[in-house]
Amino acid sequence: MAQWDRLRQLPIAYRQQLHELYDRDALPMDVRHYLAPWIEKQEWQRAARDHAFAMVLFQVLLENLDIQHSRFVQEESFLLQHNIRRYKQNFQRYVDDPCALATTILWFLEKEKEILESAELAEKVQLLQVEPEAMETSSQQDLERKLAGLRNEVQCMEHTIICLEEQQDEFDFKFQTQKLEAVVDEARKKEQIKALQLLVNKLNNCRKSTLSGLNDILDRIQDIIDVLVKKELVEWQRRQQKACIGALDNVCLDQLEKWFSCVAVCLFQVWEFLTKLEELVGKVSYENDPVKAQNPTLQKRVDTLLRDLLKSSFVVETQPSMPQGKGSLVLRTNVQFSVKARLLVKFPELNHSMKVDVSMDNKPPVFCRYRRFNVLGTKIKALNMAESTNGGMVADFRHLTLKEQKSGGGGKGVSDISLSVTEELHIIYFNTVFELKGFSVELQASTLPVVIISNSSQQQSAWASVLWFNMLSQDPKDVMFFANTPAATWPQFGEMLSWQFLSATKRGLDDTQLEMIANKLFGKKPNYDSCTVPWSKFTKENTPDTFWVWFDGILMMVKTYLEDLWRDGLIMGFVTKGKEKSLLKKKKRGTFLLRFSESVIGGITFSWVEITVTAAFHSGRGEPDVKTVQPFTKVDLSQIPFHEIIRNYQILEAENVPENPLLYLYPDTPKDKAFGKYYTEKSGEDSPYIKYIKTKLVFVSKENTLEARSPMPSDMAQGEGLEPMNGLCGEAAEQDGDLYPLTPPLESYDPDPMMNGSVEDPEPPQDLLMYLNNPNLFDNDLLQDDQSLPDFSLQGFNCLLPQSCGSFP
């Protein structure tokens, strides 16, 4: 990078030193800035000793100031015109001693180097203490510095081309004048020829210097394109993959668009410089003209760089998704989906001129039963800036659908590989043509692989495939990924699971929760980093109760009914029964925690500490028992909010005296403090979940029927213990004079869907869910007087005689 460019990118403290350096009038900062490339290329040490050489540099300096003045005249920059003219007049004092000017410029350049060395030393010291994230920022800052240097080089080259044209015009004028003059005097004719020869030599040197400068610019552009395409774009694509499965990575393309557009503009300027050189050669050429020899090679190099840059700049900004889908990249036949393509090279003059066409599976794999699809809907749109919130060049397809081809989809393939519908990957392609200033190139972008289903029952399995592919695959076009599916390491797998909760509820899984999941998958280990999860263990074996079915059931329950409680950290969630015991046994009576069921899909339960007389009698001391209710599922939570269940839960002790055993949320937060902000004081006809009679739903268990776990020994192993189930009761009301049974039918757990080991069969519990009414509402006259009210019942609830449970105000 040029010295002046590096100085301009320094931290503010060092830029202040630069300002102080150029407070002197000997070398104005404006001159140093506008003539920076030329100044840094000259041999000022030699000029400080060689008067003749110093005079040549002095004259060229004045010529460059004239060129700069002309530029400001064209741009109508009145103040800059004035300053440049004044600087040129001040430099006239060196006409008799150009070596003094060379010495002055050399002194300034050396002082600049001292500032740079000081800044670089400080940066090296700082780099020893930075975090990896800071290194990433430093990398982007370095790219910004390179782009700033490139823009400056191109700007200086523009001035060089103007200077070259003026030199050529001078030579051409004098040459044409000599041809018109009939000079007889041989001595004068020789002088004229000698003068013309000097002009040709000067022009030749200037052409060589210009070509060399263009080569340097292209070297710089090649370096920047490598960083953009091979590093920045690849990292963005990986971030987009992770974002599709829940990671909160930044996938904004604005910064990349700025970088790509900057390089493209510079390349097109170089393209124009080469075109200008061709024009100049057409007017004036000579033997061994360097432009004729080098220009074709430079033009070919520019074409290659432009083609590489533009082909990489056409991307899919928003991956395909259905409005009601579980996530992106899962599409259903005959259901509309949207997808957005974007060109990172932004040229406003191309707005609405580039047409984008959508196609499906350009080169599908050849194996048995691989399905084929047609894209239907508006398949051609123009890249435009109107459909983008940030002014980018996008083609936003919002109403596309897929239809399976009836012929050819089930034919014979070369390979006998057969994948399930939800393991079959497809790619959607976007094609367009970039045309600008005579340059044309075909561009193609492609989506990440999508899974295409035909029935909503396939949604869950399809999303599992999307998760697995984007978690592990580094090749976004590997449609044969599931032909030989790799396993996931536990760090990869655990991170992906956390992303699911993070994207759904804005709160991921902590280390303790992930450790419980790892424990269930691999057993107890000191470290899980070397453990791997095969694809079959994630979603294929033990169908339908696979790990993914279990985990996704919990996720959907939390997202639908428990999001606020989960986000506030009130649900411990993923904790084994053994761990639950070891946590609660150390706590005071009434301490409870909330955890997800290990055996009921999409179930949540609570367990609490109880010090009972029975425990004291059997053990000789009041050791804690842990009591647990049957897991609540979406059937229960859709009727009563979970915080209201916790708030009103009752247990009937001796004499049928009701008491709420849930007092402190683990570790020691009073229940009402933890859940109070969710409570509603509404009841009866104003209640959001009861609209029939003035009652409220309360979960009640009878003390002598609620079977507690055995007192917990201090060495209780992780994963041990049973999960008793409460019976569910419905409306407490008399109907046709019949009484409903006090104890509901016994229920049993389904097998544990987790992958490691087995779960003991739980003993049938005798918990009861009772619907309690205020006694004064159960007057027969009241019920008879309001015959217009519909019957109130909760499907699946059993009914219990209200007198046996007591009443509440």
Side-chain angles (χ1 to χ4, degrees):
M1 182 183 295
Q3 181 170 302
W4 186 249
D5 294 334
R6 293 162 60 198
L7 287 163
R8 292 170 56 198
Q9 301 299 322
L10 290 177
I12 188 170
Y14 296 98
R15 292 205 304 272
Q16 182 60 34
Q17 295 181 28
L18 191 65
H19 286 298
E20 293 172 0
L21 174 64
Y22 281 97
D23 278 345
R24 303 168 176 82
D25 293 330
L27 181 61
M29 182 178 278
D30 287 6
V31 174
R32 176 67 178 95
H33 175 75
Y34 291 112
L35 304 185
W38 178 81
I39 289 176
E40 292 178 23
K41 289 179 181 179
Q42 308 313 312
E43 299 177 25
W44 297 109
Q45 285 186 338
R46 174 187 170 188
R49 303 187 305 269
D50 187 335
H51 182 275
F53 185 73
M55 180 58 70
V56 172
L57 293 185
F58 174 73
Q59 293 295 337
V60 176
L61 173 65
L62 298 182
E63 290 176 4
N64 284 332
L65 290 176
D66 286 336
I67 294 172
Q68 200 65 40
H69 182 269
S70 300
R71 172 176 169 245
F72 293 142
V73 170
Q74 293 175 0
E75 296 177 355
E76 299 182 354
S77 301
F78 179 78
L79 181 60
L80 293 175
Q81 294 177 44
H82 170 77
N83 289 340
I84 290 295
R85 185 167 55 248
R86 181 167 59 86
Y87 299 149
K88 181 180 178 182
Q89 292 173 352
N90 291 340
F91 280 125
Q92 293 295 339
R93 67 180 184 270
Y94 293 107
V95 66
D96 296 325
D97 189 8
C99 290
L101 174 62
T103 302
T104 299
I105 295 176
L106 181 62
W107 182 86
F108 275 91
L109 293 176
E110 293 298 328
K111 288 298 181 182
E112 288 178 3
K113 289 180 181 178
E114 292 176 9
I115 295 174
L116 277 175
E117 290 171 356
S118 176
E120 288 171 355
L121 179 60
E123 185 178 9
K124 289 178 181 178
V125 172
Q126 185 179 7
L127 284 175
L128 297 177
Q129 305 171 354
V130 297
E131 298 294 329
E133 292 79 8
M135 294 293 292
E136 181 66 21
T137 303
S138 175
S139 173
Q140 294 185 353
Q141 289 176 349
D142 182 58
L143 182 56
E144 289 281 2
R145 287 193 291 267
K146 289 180 179 180
L147 287 168
L150 174 62
R151 287 191 295 266
N152 188 62
E153 285 284 345
V154 171
Q155 186 180 30
C156 291
M157 180 55 63
E158 182 179 6
H159 302 154
T160 300
I161 296 293
I162 294 174
C163 181
L164 177 62
E165 185 175 17
E166 290 178 349
Q167 288 184 3
Q168 179 168 311
D169 289 344
E170 179 185 3
F171 167 78
D172 189 49
F173 173 76
K174 291 182 178 180
F175 179 73
Q176 297 299 334
T177 300
Q178 181 189 7
K179 287 172 61 178
L180 293 175
E181 291 180 355
V183 178
V184 179
D185 186 3
E186 289 296 328
R188 186 182 173 192
K189 184 180 293 187
K190 288 181 179 181
E191 289 180 3
Q192 289 180 340
I193 293 174
K194 184 178 180 180
L196 288 173
Q197 186 63 51
L198 289 174
L199 288 176
V200 169
N201 292 342
K202 183 179 178 182
L203 178 62
N204 187 62
N205 289 334
C206 190
R207 285 186 173 181
K208 287 181 178 180
S209 177
T210 300
L211 293 169
S212 176
L214 288 171
N215 258 315
D216 291 342
I217 289 175
L218 293 180
D219 287 341
R220 185 189 293 263
I221 290 175
Q222 177 72 69
D223 178 53
I224 294 174
I225 289 178
D226 286 344
V227 174
L228 284 177
V229 174
K230 298 178 181 179
K231 181 178 183 295
E232 296 295 338
L233 186 61
V234 169
E235 290 179 358
W236 173 83
Q237 289 171 335
R238 182 57 187 155
R239 290 198 303 272
Q240 188 187 48
Q241 268 192 287
K242 295 192 295 183
C244 284
I245 57 174
L248 298 182
D249 284 355
N250 178 19
V251 292
C252 179
L253 283 168
D254 293 354
Q255 186 64 65
L256 274 175
E257 181 188 75
K258 174 185 173 184
W259 292 336
F260 270 80
S261 298
C262 174
V263 177
V265 168
C266 291
L267 271 172
F268 273 107
Q269 285 182 279
V270 174
W271 173 289
E272 292 172 351
F273 295 157
L274 295 176
T275 302
K276 186 65 177 179
L277 287 178
E278 285 291 339
E279 293 177 3
L280 294 179
V281 169
K283 294 178 180 178
V284 174
S285 187
Y286 45 85
E287 188 177 354
N288 298 324
D289 188 340
V291 174
K292 281 188 175 181
Q294 299 183 35
N295 212 51
T297 303
L298 289 175
Q299 186 66 60
K300 184 177 180 181
R301 190 177 179 192
V302 171
D303 290 350
T304 301
L305 291 174
L306 262 177
R307 188 171 289 104
D308 292 345
L309 181 72
L310 290 170
K311 284 188 173 183
S312 300
S313 69
F314 192 37
V315 299
V316 175
E317 179 177 18
T318 304
Q319 294 294 329
S321 63
M322 298 183 297
Q324 304 301 323
K326 190 177 182 68
S328 58
L329 302 175
V330 176
L331 305 180
R332 184 176 171 183
T333 53
N334 302 316
V335 175
Q336 285 189 349
F337 67 92
S338 61
V339 62
K340 183 188 296 184
R342 181 169 176 176
L343 183 66
L344 298 179
V345 173
K346 182 179 176 181
F347 286 97
E349 57 266 40
L350 295 178
N351 192 26
H352 290 284
S353 65
M354 295 175 61
K355 305 298 182 182
V356 180
D357 179 47
V358 184
S359 60
M360 190 80 189
D361 289 327
N362 289 357
K363 295 180 180 179
V366 182
F367 64 82
C368 185
R369 291 188 296 277
Y370 186 83
R371 297 170 299 161
R372 306 290 193 271
F373 296 89
N374 294 324
V375 182
L376 306 179
T378 306
K379 298 195 299 179
I380 299 178
K381 295 198 70 174
L383 283 169
N384 65 90
M385 295 184 287
E387 293 182 315
S388 174
T389 57
N390 45 27
M393 295 277 290
V394 303
D396 192 359
F397 297 87
R398 301 179 184 178
H399 306 291
L400 298 177
T401 57
L402 297 175
K403 185 174 182 180
E404 185 174 356
Q405 297 178 9
K406 295 303 179 182
S407 59
K412 295 181 179 180
V414 175
S415 172
D416 60 355
I417 295 175
S418 180
L419 301 176
S420 68
V421 168
T422 56
E423 292 177 327
E424 197 179 276
L425 301 179
H426 300 263
I427 295 178
I428 301 173
Y429 290 89
F430 304 85
N431 298 279
T432 188
V433 178
F434 179 96
E435 292 181 334
L436 183 66
K437 299 178 180 179
F439 181 83
S440 177
V441 60
E442 294 182 357
L443 308 180
Q444 184 179 86
S446 59
T447 66
L448 292 169
V450 300
V451 178
I452 303 174
I453 61 177
S454 56
N455 191 289
S456 59
S457 63
Q458 300 168 321
Q459 176 86 22
Q460 190 177 52
S461 296
W463 182 240
S465 297
V466 169
L467 292 177
W468 206 260
F469 177 90
N470 290 287
M471 172 177 57
L472 298 178
S473 178
Q474 301 293 326
D475 180 3
K477 294 186 178 181
D478 183 13
V479 295
M480 296 297 294
F481 176 82
F482 287 103
N484 186 21
T485 315
T489 64
W490 168 247
Q492 292 173 316
F493 188 73
E495 185 179 43
M496 181 271 289
L497 295 182
S498 182
W499 289 341
Q500 304 316 296
F501 271 86
L502 187 63
S503 61
T505 68
K506 304 299 183 290
R507 182 186 178 94
L509 303 179
D510 60 32
D511 292 340
T512 303
Q513 292 163 336
L514 287 172
E515 184 179 3
M516 176 270 181
I517 298 174
N519 186 10
K520 295 301 293 183
L521 285 170
F522 311 113
K524 185 66 176 178
K525 294 180 182 293
N527 187 284
Y528 297 99
D529 288 351
S530 60
C531 297
T532 59
V533 183
W535 167 241
S536 60
K537 197 169 189 178
F538 176 58
T539 190
K540 295 194 73 174
E541 68 182 25
N542 299 329
T543 304
D545 296 335
T546 65
F547 173 88
W548 171 241
V549 170
W550 171 79
F551 184 87
D552 191 50
I554 292 173
L555 180 63
M556 290 301 99
M557 174 188 63
V558 171
K559 182 177 180 180
T560 307
Y561 303 106
L562 307 171
E563 183 173 350
D564 290 340
L565 301 182
W566 172 263
R567 191 184 301 121
D568 289 345
L570 303 179
I571 301 174
M572 187 173 292
F574 294 100
V575 55
T576 62
K577 299 172 186 177
K579 182 68 173 178
E580 174 190 68
K581 293 177 183 178
S582 66
L583 293 175
L584 289 178
K585 73 177 182 178
K586 304 171 185 177
K587 294 299 177 180
K588 55 191 172 183
R589 178 179 181 272
T591 302
F592 68 99
L593 58 79
L594 314 177
R595 67 174 179 85
F596 303 130
S597 172
E598 299 175 41
S599 55
V600 175
I601 303 300
I604 186 169
T605 185
F606 49 77
S607 302
W608 70 92
V609 178
E610 188 69 75
I611 309 296
T612 65
V613 176
T614 303
F617 175 78
H618 287 294
S619 64
R621 62 186 185 279
E623 292 191 20
D625 293 338
V626 168
K627 299 184 178 181
T628 302
V629 295
Q630 175 187 358
F632 303 97
T633 64
K634 63 181 181 180
V635 175
D636 311 311
L637 301 178
S638 63
Q639 300 174 76
I640 312 176
F642 195 46
H643 57 267
E644 292 293 338
I645 294 174
I646 296 171
R647 176 189 185 186
N648 297 314
Y649 181 79
Q650 303 287 349
I651 185 170
L652 297 182
E653 296 186 342
E655 305 284 332
N656 278 349
V657 177
E659 179 184 350
N660 190 326
L662 310 179
L663 303 178
Y664 306 98
L665 179 66
Y666 184 89
D668 54 12
T669 305
K671 176 186 66 176
D672 291 341
K673 181 179 180 181
F675 297 93
K677 71 176 184 178
Y678 303 107
Y679 293 165
T680 173
E681 296 303 325
K682 296 179 180 180
S683 62
E685 62 185 11
D686 295 325
S687 172
Y689 53 93
I690 300 296
K691 298 181 180 179
Y692 297 95
I693 56 179
K694 293 185 177 180
T695 60
K696 64 180 178 181
L697 292 178
V698 181
F699 284 78
V700 178
S701 296
K702 202 166 185 178
E703 169 61 17
N704 61 359
T705 61
L706 180 67
E707 185 169 328
R709 295 176 183 167
S710 302
M712 295 170 297
S714 58
D715 59 347
M716 178 72 72
Q718 285 265 2
E720 295 178 353
L722 303 179
E723 190 175 276
M725 306 170 69
N726 66 305
L728 297 180
C729 304
E731 182 182 15
E734 300 181 35
Q735 296 183 8
D736 299 329
D738 294 331
L739 296 181
Y740 282 74
L742 178 64
T743 305
L746 299 179
E747 301 180 37
S748 60
Y749 280 117
D750 295 326
D752 191 339
M754 305 300 287
M755 305 306 168
N756 184 63
S758 61
V759 176
E760 303 176 37
D761 293 333
E763 297 180 11
Q766 297 176 358
D767 286 354
L768 301 176
L769 168 63
M770 174 174 290
Y771 179 80
L772 285 184
N773 296 288
N774 194 313
N776 62 3
L777 296 179
F778 280 86
D779 186 280
N780 289 334
D781 293 336
L782 174 61
L783 294 176
Q784 293 170 2
D785 290 342
D786 193 2
Q787 298 297 328
S788 62
L789 288 176
D791 292 337
F792 174 75
S793 64
L794 298 178
Q795 184 176 0
F797 281 21
N798 296 311
C799 291
L800 184 67
L801 187 65
Q803 286 81 351
S804 65
C805 299
S807 62
F808 299 95

